[in-house]
Amino acid sequence: MVEHRTFRIHGRVQGVFFRQSTQKKAQKLGLTGYVRNEPDDTVWIEAEGPTEALDALAQWCRKGPPAARVDRVDVQLGAVQHYADFKVQR
C-alpha cells in the first residue's frame, strides 16, 4: 500500500547538502515526491511509498547528512499525490 507523508526538518539543515542527500536516500528506498528548503530555514519533504520505506526515511531524517544538526522532525500523513519520481525543488 502506498502512503504519503510530509516531513519538516528543523535545525542546521540548509547549506549542508540535506536536499541532495534526501533525494539519494529516497531514491534508494524507492520513494517518490520532493524535498525543498523553506524560508524559515527548515527542510520540507513530501514522500510516497511503502510504509517500511517511509519509516526508514523518517529514521534517516532524524540524523541527516554528516554536516547537518537535526533538532526536530515533524511528520504528518497526507493524501497520496502519485508523484512520478523524487526531485529536489529549488
Side-chain angles (χ1 to χ4, degrees):
M1 183 171 101
V2 174
E3 189 177 309
H4 177 101
R5 292 188 199 171
T6 61
F7 304 80
R8 183 177 299 274
I9 296 83
H10 302 261
R12 191 181 76 210
V13 294
Q14 291 191 12
V16 294
F17 297 99
F18 206 103
R19 290 178 302 162
Q20 295 82 357
S21 298
T22 300
Q23 181 184 39
K24 186 180 287 187
K25 182 66 172 179
Q27 288 172 339
K28 182 177 177 183
L29 292 168
L31 298 171
T32 60
Y34 66 89
V35 57
R36 71 176 181 228
N37 285 341
E38 293 290 290
D40 65 357
D41 294 328
T42 62
V43 169
W44 178 262
I45 302 168
E46 292 206 19
E48 296 181 347
T51 301
E52 299 80 20
L54 289 166
D55 289 345
L57 180 64
Q59 183 176 1
W60 179 87
C61 285
R62 288 182 180 89
K63 188 169 187 179
R69 187 198 75 242
V70 177
D71 295 333
R72 188 173 90 231
V73 178
D74 301 329
V75 182
Q76 292 186 334
L77 296 175
V80 175
Q81 304 295 311
H82 302 287
Y83 297 111
D85 54 12
F86 198 95
K87 295 183 179 184
V88 173
Q89 287 188 351
R90 307 215 185 276

